[in-house]
Amino acid sequence: MVTGDGAYIKRINRSIILEKIIEHGMISRAELSKITGLNKATISVQVADLLEEELIKETQLEHYNVGRRPIMLSINNKAAYVLGIDLDYEQIHYTVADLQGHAVVSLTEKIQTVDYDEIVQLLVKQIKKYQKKLSDSRYGLVIVMIGVHGTVNRDESIYFNPKYRWHNKILKTDLMKKLDLDIYIENNANLSAYAESVYHYHNNNNLVNIILTSGIGAGIMTDGEIQRGYHGYAGEMGHMIVSFGGLSCSCGNKGCWEQYASEPSIINHLSANLNKPNLTRDEVLRLLQQGNETAVERIEESIPYISAGLNNVINLYNPETIVINSRILSTIPNAVTKLESYLNSSVSQYCQIVLSDLGDRACVDGACALAIQRFFDVQRLNLTKSNRTNLQTT
């Protein structure tokens, strides 16, 4: 028989109650007791503690029936704030979110350095600004979650960041030396997958999120948990080989998937076709919107290669949902139907393939969501998107 002391049981009950309050938005004590199976006395004690801590609040609903007006419980979204950071190449995206996942402030900071120490200083400076700005709330800024475009070890050190050419950097330790805050480091694809799960696909227990925007990376969600693998590098699907002896890849192999299906490879090939060096993604998007035949043909040519990789992913993970994050692919009419036309194997089974509508914000949204989950110490998190305010670019 598994047993636990009173403090452990109390913590588990607290987590269950908070999870249901977050999920329902507003809920009564009676309904909490009904859906959790906890008795009314346990609910009463836990709710009293959460009210005293100002993590939840009460609202008395108006109604016109005879009898007592129901008192509803909801998260006190202004009790604390989290900061999600997407440490992208040449720019850093910051979003402060309240405890319901609503973006309060978003900032994109353009940077012109790859020097590790300089970027650490930029991060420290901006984080301290947010700490000061949010200090009037009950708990202030409680967690910073940073998404890194590269391989992240299980101890949260950065094994390799290909764009910055960083090897074995201990960003978490270096930041915590200068900041009195809980700081976490996570792979950007994992955070993007978490965002899809938390904000859109609440009932999907097996989700794979594939990002085509900078190489190819993937986040894998199983039973609401991020799958990281032994070292923490699970999801580097861009480096599975789809063409033996094919195009050379920076990883040292030939024929890697991202050499044929990622946005950078598509853009590079299109630049060569059009004899326009250094095409940007925004320029490619404009060409597609204008119906440029060469641009459209180049994207169409990539679809069989994207599907080849998807076939491998499906057979490896048997996912319920595959989410593809690519602004370029999203411009192609009936893109999903075209992808599925190449998935003819009777062995490959999945429920749906969808295109992400989170776009470039997936990583930072996932960072905020995972920070909220860590703060509340709940098993699962269901949030809804809202309009963002105070968007800034520097």
Side-chain angles (χ1 to χ4, degrees):
M1 177 182 292
V2 178
T3 61
D5 60 24
Y8 174 75
I9 299 299
K10 185 175 182 179
R11 191 171 81 247
I12 294 297
N13 290 341
R14 174 190 174 98
S15 176
I16 293 170
I17 289 168
L18 278 169
E19 185 177 311
K20 293 305 177 185
I21 294 173
I22 295 167
E23 179 183 346
H24 288 264
M26 298 187 76
I27 190 170
S28 68
R29 288 169 174 81
E31 189 65 18
L32 268 177
S33 178
K34 180 179 177 181
I35 64 176
T36 63
L38 299 172
N39 63 49
K40 292 181 180 179
T42 297
I43 296 291
S44 180
V45 170
Q46 290 279 358
V47 165
D49 288 346
L50 292 169
L51 286 169
E52 184 177 356
E53 296 170 37
E54 297 182 23
L55 291 177
I56 65 173
K57 58 187 179 181
E58 293 180 313
T59 303
Q60 194 163 45
L61 297 183
E62 293 187 8
H63 73 139
Y64 301 100
N65 297 325
V66 176
R68 207 168 167 187
R69 290 183 294 174
I71 296 175
M72 307 298 285
L73 305 171
S74 60
I75 294 297
N76 179 9
N77 60 307
K78 296 180 180 179
Y81 296 88
V82 298
L83 174 60
I85 300 176
D86 179 2
L87 182 53
D88 204 349
Y89 184 60
E90 296 184 339
Q91 55 189 1
I92 306 174
H93 307 283
Y94 302 87
T95 289
V96 173
D98 65 24
L99 292 181
Q100 291 178 324
H102 302 147
V104 176
V105 176
S106 289
L107 167 72
T108 295
E109 181 179 27
K110 303 291 184 180
I111 56 175
Q112 297 180 345
T113 180
V114 297
D115 182 78
Y116 175 76
D117 293 326
E118 289 182 24
I119 290 175
V120 168
Q121 291 303 316
L122 289 172
L123 289 169
V124 169
K125 181 180 178 181
Q126 198 64 46
I127 292 168
K128 283 184 174 179
K129 283 183 180 179
Y130 288 125
Q131 269 190 297
K132 183 177 180 180
K133 185 173 184 178
L134 301 167
S135 61
D136 290 340
S137 62
R138 170 70 187 264
Y139 297 99
L141 180 63
V142 288
I143 291 178
V144 176
M145 182 74 64
I146 302 175
V148 173
H149 296 239
T151 45
V152 177
N153 293 309
R154 276 191 168 270
D155 65 2
E156 298 180 64
S157 61
I158 300 170
Y159 176 68
F160 181 54
N161 183 305
K163 290 292 181 66
Y164 285 104
R165 312 303 296 177
W166 293 346
H167 293 266
N168 300 314
K169 297 297 184 182
I170 49 173
L171 180 60
K172 177 173 181 171
T173 301
D174 292 337
L175 289 173
M176 291 184 72
K177 288 177 182 177
K178 302 178 181 182
L179 296 162
D180 183 22
L181 265 174
D182 286 334
I183 296 173
Y184 298 94
I185 310 296
E186 184 58 86
N187 169 265
N188 73 300
N190 288 344
L191 291 176
S192 297
Y194 192 75
E196 298 291 350
S197 176
V198 166
Y199 285 110
H200 288 310
Y201 304 100
H202 301 157
N203 299 318
N204 281 225
N205 288 324
N206 295 280
L207 179 147
V208 177
N209 182 52
I210 298 173
I211 302 174
L212 305 182
T213 54
S214 56
I216 297 179
I220 306 157
M221 300 290 298
T222 304
D223 294 331
E225 296 287 337
I226 297 171
Q227 301 303 303
R228 295 179 174 85
Y230 179 69
H231 293 99
Y233 311 156
E236 291 297 325
M237 295 176 185
H239 297 289
M240 62 181 171
I241 295 171
V242 297
S243 178
F244 186 74
L247 298 172
S248 296
C249 181
S250 59
C251 76
N253 281 326
K254 293 184 177 181
C256 290
W257 189 25
E258 70 175 37
Q259 296 303 314
Y260 299 86
S262 69
E263 288 190 358
S265 70
I266 292 170
I267 292 169
N268 288 339
H269 289 132
L270 183 57
S271 289
N273 294 152
L274 295 174
N275 195 25
K276 291 184 177 181
N278 304 316
L279 268 180
T280 66
R281 183 174 65 170
D282 285 342
E283 288 171 333
V284 172
L285 290 171
R286 281 195 291 271
L287 288 171
L288 291 170
Q289 290 167 358
Q290 294 163 5
N292 181 280
E293 289 186 11
T294 304
V296 172
E297 286 175 5
R298 183 64 196 89
I299 308 306
E300 296 279 359
E301 288 169 1
S302 72
I303 287 178
Y305 288 105
I306 297 173
S307 294
L310 291 180
N311 179 77
N312 295 342
V313 171
I314 291 165
N315 285 322
L316 282 169
Y317 295 102
N318 182 216
E320 183 176 358
T321 296
I322 299 175
V323 183
I324 303 174
N325 192 316
S326 169
R327 284 181 62 195
I328 288 178
L329 195 60
S330 295
T331 64
I332 302 300
N334 304 313
V336 170
T337 301
K338 291 175 181 178
L339 289 170
E340 291 182 320
S341 70
Y342 292 96
L343 300 175
N344 300 316
S345 171
S346 61
V347 177
S348 303
Q349 298 296 317
Y350 62 94
C351 288
Q352 62 176 340
I353 296 174
V354 296
L355 297 177
S356 174
D357 65 2
L358 294 179
D360 293 339
R361 291 197 53 86
C363 173
V364 75
D365 285 347
C368 290
L370 188 56
I372 292 168
Q373 186 260 337
R374 296 271 176 90
F375 176 71
F376 281 126
D377 190 24
V378 295
Q379 287 295 310
R380 297 187 73 114
L381 193 67
N382 290 343
L383 299 173
T384 56
K385 299 303 294 178
S386 66
N387 294 328
R388 303 180 181 92
T389 58
N390 299 327
L391 302 179
Q392 303 172 45
T393 302
T394 63

